[in-house]
Amino acid sequence: QVQLVESGGGLVQAGGSLRLSCAASGRTVSTSVMGWFRQAPGKEREFVAAIYGAGGYTYYPDSLRGRFTISRDNTKSMMYLQTNSLKPEDTAIYYCADRILLHISTVASPNKWNYWGQGTQITVSS
C-alpha cells in the first residue's frame, strides 16, 4: 500500500511563502499521479494541484495558477508544493494524495483518489 506523510505547514503573514513536502512510500510511486488538496473548516475539500509521472505535466485550478507550484523528486520519493503570496483565504489543512492512474477530467474530484496523507496546517494571518 502507498503511505503519504505531509510536512512543512505553519503560521505565516499575508504575502509570505511556505514549502510543503509529501514523503511517499509503496508501489509504483514514480509512475503515479500525485496531488494536493486543501480543506478549510466547514468547506468541501478543494483541488490545489496535480503532477503526472516524472513531473512533465502539471495542472492547477485557474484561481491558484501562478502562486502555487507543484513538483516531485521520484528519486527521493518526495512531492512538494511551493506556496507564494499567501492570503488569509489560503488558510486550510493541506493534504497529499496519490493514484496510479487518473484522467485529467476527474483530477479535481477528491473521491477519485486512492491514498491520502494526514494533512498539514497552513494558517495565514492578515
Side-chain angles (χ1 to χ4, degrees):
Q1 300 295 312
V2 175
Q3 182 176 340
L4 307 171
V5 180
E6 303 96 334
S7 62
L11 174 63
V12 298
Q13 292 185 330
S17 300
L18 285 173
R19 190 191 192 197
L20 305 183
S21 299
C22 175
S25 61
R27 65 187 184 277
T28 62
V29 173
S30 64
T31 59
S32 70
V33 184
M34 301 189 73
W36 291 94
F37 286 75
R38 66 185 184 183
Q39 189 165 22
K43 295 186 177 181
E44 297 294 319
R45 191 162 295 191
E46 176 189 15
F47 172 70
V48 172
I51 186 164
Y52 283 71
Y57 180 79
T58 58
Y59 182 74
Y60 308 87
D62 291 341
S63 60
L64 296 176
R65 188 176 295 111
R67 290 199 300 122
F68 290 10
T69 303
I70 190 171
S71 62
R72 68 192 297 175
D73 184 340
N74 291 333
T75 301
K76 299 181 175 66
S77 298
M78 295 289 292
M79 182 181 64
Y80 308 96
L81 183 71
Q82 180 68 45
T83 67
N84 298 324
S85 301
L86 286 165
K87 307 172 182 178
E89 53 263 42
D90 295 320
T91 296
I93 300 175
Y94 285 71
Y95 296 93
C96 176
D98 179 272
R99 186 181 172 94
I100 185 64
L101 290 174
L102 189 60
H103 195 275
I104 189 66
S105 65
T106 60
V107 69
S109 181
N111 65 311
K112 298 296 185 180
W113 295 75
N114 294 132
Y115 302 100
W116 296 89
Q118 83 291 340
T120 186
Q121 176 76 39
I122 288 180
T123 302
V124 185
S125 64
S126 59

PDB file of all heavy atoms in Angstrom, residues 32-51:
ATOM      1  N   SER A  32       2.909   7.223 -10.687  1.00  0.00           N
ATOM      2  CA  SER A  32       1.587   7.600 -10.232  1.00  0.00           C
ATOM      3  C   SER A  32       1.274   9.064 -10.528  1.00  0.00           C
ATOM      4  O   SER A  32       2.150   9.856 -10.868  1.00  0.00           O
ATOM      5  CB  SER A  32       1.453   7.355  -8.732  1.00  0.00           C
ATOM      6  OG  SER A  32       2.245   8.284  -8.012  1.00  0.00           O
ATOM      7  N   VAL A  33       0.008   9.401 -10.401  1.00  0.00           N
ATOM      8  CA  VAL A  33      -0.412  10.794 -10.328  1.00  0.00           C
ATOM      9  C   VAL A  33      -0.423  11.184  -8.855  1.00  0.00           C
ATOM     10  O   VAL A  33      -0.947  10.448  -8.018  1.00  0.00           O
ATOM     11  CB  VAL A  33      -1.806  10.996 -10.939  1.00  0.00           C
ATOM     12  CG1 VAL A  33      -2.174  12.476 -10.944  1.00  0.00           C
ATOM     13  CG2 VAL A  33      -1.859  10.426 -12.345  1.00  0.00           C
ATOM     14  N   MET A  34       0.148  12.320  -8.534  1.00  0.00           N
ATOM     15  CA  MET A  34       0.136  12.830  -7.170  1.00  0.00           C
ATOM     16  C   MET A  34      -0.442  14.235  -7.170  1.00  0.00           C
ATOM     17  O   MET A  34      -0.376  14.946  -8.177  1.00  0.00           O
ATOM     18  CB  MET A  34       1.533  12.822  -6.555  1.00  0.00           C
ATOM     19  CG  MET A  34       2.170  11.449  -6.494  1.00  0.00           C
ATOM     20  SD  MET A  34       3.713  11.414  -5.542  1.00  0.00           S
ATOM     21  CE  MET A  34       3.070  11.580  -3.867  1.00  0.00           C
ATOM     22  N   GLY A  35      -1.002  14.624  -6.036  1.00  0.00           N
ATOM     23  CA  GLY A  35      -1.625  15.928  -5.986  1.00  0.00           C
ATOM     24  C   GLY A  35      -1.772  16.469  -4.587  1.00  0.00           C
ATOM     25  O   GLY A  35      -1.475  15.801  -3.594  1.00  0.00           O
ATOM     26  N   TRP A  36      -2.233  17.707  -4.541  1.00  0.00           N
ATOM     27  CA  TRP A  36      -2.516  18.405  -3.289  1.00  0.00           C
ATOM     28  C   TRP A  36      -3.960  18.881  -3.289  1.00  0.00           C
ATOM     29  O   TRP A  36      -4.465  19.389  -4.305  1.00  0.00           O
ATOM     30  CB  TRP A  36      -1.603  19.612  -3.099  1.00  0.00           C
ATOM     31  CG  TRP A  36      -0.164  19.280  -2.852  1.00  0.00           C
ATOM     32  CD1 TRP A  36       0.829  19.200  -3.772  1.00  0.00           C
ATOM     33  CD2 TRP A  36       0.432  18.993  -1.588  1.00  0.00           C
ATOM     34  NE1 TRP A  36       2.022  18.879  -3.166  1.00  0.00           N
ATOM     35  CE2 TRP A  36       1.805  18.747  -1.816  1.00  0.00           C
ATOM     36  CE3 TRP A  36      -0.055  18.928  -0.281  1.00  0.00           C
ATOM     37  CZ2 TRP A  36       2.688  18.443  -0.782  1.00  0.00           C
ATOM     38  CZ3 TRP A  36       0.830  18.612   0.741  1.00  0.00           C
ATOM     39  CH2 TRP A  36       2.176  18.375   0.487  1.00  0.00           C
ATOM     40  N   PHE A  37      -4.615  18.722  -2.145  1.00  0.00           N
ATOM     41  CA  PHE A  37      -5.922  19.295  -1.870  1.00  0.00           C
ATOM     42  C   PHE A  37      -5.839  20.099  -0.592  1.00  0.00           C
ATOM     43  O   PHE A  37      -4.908  19.945   0.181  1.00  0.00           O
ATOM     44  CB  PHE A  37      -6.987  18.206  -1.724  1.00  0.00           C
ATOM     45  CG  PHE A  37      -7.406  17.554  -3.008  1.00  0.00           C
ATOM     46  CD1 PHE A  37      -6.578  16.641  -3.640  1.00  0.00           C
ATOM     47  CD2 PHE A  37      -8.628  17.847  -3.581  1.00  0.00           C
ATOM     48  CE1 PHE A  37      -6.958  16.036  -4.821  1.00  0.00           C
ATOM     49  CE2 PHE A  37      -9.025  17.237  -4.768  1.00  0.00           C
ATOM     50  CZ  PHE A  37      -8.187  16.335  -5.384  1.00  0.00           C
ATOM     51  N   ARG A  38      -6.845  20.938  -0.350  1.00  0.00           N
ATOM     52  CA  ARG A  38      -6.923  21.656   0.912  1.00  0.00           C
ATOM     53  C   ARG A  38      -8.366  21.693   1.385  1.00  0.00           C
ATOM     54  O   ARG A  38      -9.292  21.615   0.593  1.00  0.00           O
ATOM     55  CB  ARG A  38      -6.357  23.075   0.792  1.00  0.00           C
ATOM     56  CG  ARG A  38      -7.156  24.004  -0.111  1.00  0.00           C
ATOM     57  CD  ARG A  38      -6.447  25.338  -0.258  1.00  0.00           C
ATOM     58  NE  ARG A  38      -7.224  26.293  -1.035  1.00  0.00           N
ATOM     59  CZ  ARG A  38      -6.805  27.507  -1.363  1.00  0.00           C
ATOM     60  NH1 ARG A  38      -5.593  27.913  -0.977  1.00  0.00           N
ATOM     61  NH2 ARG A  38      -7.581  28.316  -2.073  1.00  0.00           N
ATOM     62  N   GLN A  39      -8.535  21.835   2.690  1.00  0.00           N
ATOM     63  CA  GLN A  39      -9.866  21.880   3.267  1.00  0.00           C
ATOM     64  C   GLN A  39      -9.883  22.837   4.448  1.00  0.00           C
ATOM     65  O   GLN A  39      -9.155  22.650   5.418  1.00  0.00           O
ATOM     66  CB  GLN A  39     -10.323  20.495   3.710  1.00  0.00           C
ATOM     67  CG  GLN A  39     -11.784  20.434   4.119  1.00  0.00           C
ATOM     68  CD  GLN A  39     -12.292  19.009   4.192  1.00  0.00           C
ATOM     69  OE1 GLN A  39     -11.520  18.071   4.343  1.00  0.00           O
ATOM     70  NE2 GLN A  39     -13.600  18.851   4.070  1.00  0.00           N
ATOM     71  N   ALA A  40     -10.716  23.852   4.350  1.00  0.00           N
ATOM     72  CA  ALA A  40     -10.936  24.800   5.426  1.00  0.00           C
ATOM     73  C   ALA A  40     -12.126  24.351   6.260  1.00  0.00           C
ATOM     74  O   ALA A  40     -12.988  23.617   5.776  1.00  0.00           O
ATOM     75  CB  ALA A  40     -11.175  26.196   4.864  1.00  0.00           C
ATOM     76  N   PRO A  41     -12.220  24.778   7.521  1.00  0.00           N
ATOM     77  CA  PRO A  41     -13.346  24.378   8.370  1.00  0.00           C
ATOM     78  C   PRO A  41     -14.688  24.714   7.739  1.00  0.00           C
ATOM     79  O   PRO A  41     -14.901  25.833   7.270  1.00  0.00           O
ATOM     80  CB  PRO A  41     -13.120  25.175   9.651  1.00  0.00           C
ATOM     81  CG  PRO A  41     -11.650  25.413   9.691  1.00  0.00           C
ATOM     82  CD  PRO A  41     -11.252  25.610   8.252  1.00  0.00           C
ATOM     83  N   GLY A  42     -15.582  23.731   7.705  1.00  0.00           N
ATOM     84  CA  GLY A  42     -16.908  23.939   7.165  1.00  0.00           C
ATOM     85  C   GLY A  42     -17.005  23.940   5.654  1.00  0.00           C
ATOM     86  O   GLY A  42     -18.091  24.173   5.121  1.00  0.00           O
ATOM     87  N   LYS A  43     -15.912  23.681   4.950  1.00  0.00           N
ATOM     88  CA  LYS A  43     -15.912  23.692   3.497  1.00  0.00           C
ATOM     89  C   LYS A  43     -15.541  22.325   2.933  1.00  0.00           C
ATOM     90  O   LYS A  43     -14.970  21.487   3.621  1.00  0.00           O
ATOM     91  CB  LYS A  43     -14.941  24.750   2.967  1.00  0.00           C
ATOM     92  CG  LYS A  43     -15.328  26.182   3.298  1.00  0.00           C
ATOM     93  CD  LYS A  43     -14.409  27.171   2.614  1.00  0.00           C
ATOM     94  CE  LYS A  43     -14.842  28.596   2.878  1.00  0.00           C
ATOM     95  NZ  LYS A  43     -13.957  29.580   2.183  1.00  0.00           N
ATOM     96  N   GLU A  44     -15.876  22.118   1.653  1.00  0.00           N
ATOM     97  CA  GLU A  44     -15.518  20.891   0.968  1.00  0.00           C
ATOM     98  C   GLU A  44     -14.024  20.872   0.654  1.00  0.00           C
ATOM     99  O   GLU A  44     -13.375  21.916   0.570  1.00  0.00           O
ATOM    100  CB  GLU A  44     -16.316  20.747  -0.326  1.00  0.00           C
ATOM    101  CG  GLU A  44     -17.821  20.635  -0.132  1.00  0.00           C
ATOM    102  CD  GLU A  44     -18.203  19.361   0.569  1.00  0.00           C
ATOM    103  OE1 GLU A  44     -17.610  18.301   0.260  1.00  0.00           O
ATOM    104  OE2 GLU A  44     -19.099  19.406   1.433  1.00  0.00           O
ATOM    105  N   ARG A  45     -13.492  19.674   0.479  1.00  0.00           N
ATOM    106  CA  ARG A  45     -12.106  19.531   0.091  1.00  0.00           C
ATOM    107  C   ARG A  45     -11.910  20.083  -1.321  1.00  0.00           C
ATOM    108  O   ARG A  45     -12.660  19.757  -2.245  1.00  0.00           O
ATOM    109  CB  ARG A  45     -11.674  18.071   0.170  1.00  0.00           C
ATOM    110  CG  ARG A  45     -10.177  17.867   0.041  1.00  0.00           C
ATOM    111  CD  ARG A  45      -9.757  16.496   0.557  1.00  0.00           C
ATOM    112  NE  ARG A  45      -9.996  16.369   1.990  1.00  0.00           N
ATOM    113  CZ  ARG A  45      -9.527  15.369   2.732  1.00  0.00           C
ATOM    114  NH1 ARG A  45      -8.806  14.404   2.179  1.00  0.00           N
ATOM    115  NH2 ARG A  45      -9.810  15.327   4.031  1.00  0.00           N
ATOM    116  N   GLU A  46     -10.891  20.927  -1.507  1.00  0.00           N
ATOM    117  CA  GLU A  46     -10.682  21.690  -2.725  1.00  0.00           C
ATOM    118  C   GLU A  46      -9.387  21.282  -3.412  1.00  0.00           C
ATOM    119  O   GLU A  46      -8.331  21.201  -2.780  1.00  0.00           O
ATOM    120  CB  GLU A  46     -10.647  23.188  -2.397  1.00  0.00           C
ATOM    121  CG  GLU A  46     -10.340  24.096  -3.570  1.00  0.00           C
ATOM    122  CD  GLU A  46     -10.107  25.537  -3.144  1.00  0.00           C
ATOM    123  OE1 GLU A  46      -9.901  25.776  -1.942  1.00  0.00           O
ATOM    124  OE2 GLU A  46     -10.137  26.427  -4.019  1.00  0.00           O
ATOM    125  N   PHE A  47      -9.454  21.052  -4.712  1.00  0.00           N
ATOM    126  CA  PHE A  47      -8.280  20.699  -5.500  1.00  0.00           C
ATOM    127  C   PHE A  47      -7.304  21.869  -5.584  1.00  0.00           C
ATOM    128  O   PHE A  47      -7.702  23.007  -5.822  1.00  0.00           O
ATOM    129  CB  PHE A  47      -8.701  20.275  -6.907  1.00  0.00           C
ATOM    130  CG  PHE A  47      -7.560  20.061  -7.855  1.00  0.00           C
ATOM    131  CD1 PHE A  47      -6.704  18.982  -7.704  1.00  0.00           C
ATOM    132  CD2 PHE A  47      -7.346  20.934  -8.906  1.00  0.00           C
ATOM    133  CE1 PHE A  47      -5.652  18.778  -8.577  1.00  0.00           C
ATOM    134  CE2 PHE A  47      -6.298  20.742  -9.786  1.00  0.00           C
ATOM    135  CZ  PHE A  47      -5.451  19.659  -9.615  1.00  0.00           C
ATOM    136  N   VAL A  48      -6.009  21.567  -5.419  1.00  0.00           N
ATOM    137  CA  VAL A  48      -4.959  22.578  -5.448  1.00  0.00           C
ATOM    138  C   VAL A  48      -4.011  22.386  -6.636  1.00  0.00           C
ATOM    139  O   VAL A  48      -3.687  23.341  -7.345  1.00  0.00           O
ATOM    140  CB  VAL A  48      -4.170  22.578  -4.131  1.00  0.00           C
ATOM    141  CG1 VAL A  48      -2.960  23.500  -4.228  1.00  0.00           C
ATOM    142  CG2 VAL A  48      -5.070  22.994  -2.971  1.00  0.00           C
ATOM    143  N   ALA A  49      -3.527  21.160  -6.850  1.00  0.00           N
ATOM    144  CA  ALA A  49      -2.544  20.917  -7.902  1.00  0.00           C
ATOM    145  C   ALA A  49      -2.374  19.425  -8.118  1.00  0.00           C
ATOM    146  O   ALA A  49      -2.633  18.621  -7.225  1.00  0.00           O
ATOM    147  CB  ALA A  49      -1.197  21.551  -7.548  1.00  0.00           C
ATOM    148  N   ALA A  50      -1.915  19.039  -9.316  1.00  0.00           N
ATOM    149  CA  ALA A  50      -1.602  17.648  -9.627  1.00  0.00           C
ATOM    150  C   ALA A  50      -0.359  17.586 -10.487  1.00  0.00           C
ATOM    151  O   ALA A  50      -0.058  18.520 -11.238  1.00  0.00           O
ATOM    152  CB  ALA A  50      -2.768  16.961 -10.334  1.00  0.00           C
ATOM    153  N   ILE A  51       0.360  16.473 -10.395  1.00  0.00           N
ATOM    154  CA  ILE A  51       1.568  16.262 -11.180  1.00  0.00           C
ATOM    155  C   ILE A  51       1.621  14.802 -11.617  1.00  0.00           C
ATOM    156  O   ILE A  51       1.359  13.895 -10.841  1.00  0.00           O
ATOM    157  CB  ILE A  51       2.817  16.682 -10.380  1.00  0.00           C
ATOM    158  CG1 ILE A  51       4.076  16.610 -11.241  1.00  0.00           C
ATOM    159  CG2 ILE A  51       2.958  15.849  -9.105  1.00  0.00           C
ATOM    160  CD1 ILE A  51       5.244  17.372 -10.627  1.00  0.00           C
TER     161      ILE A  51
END
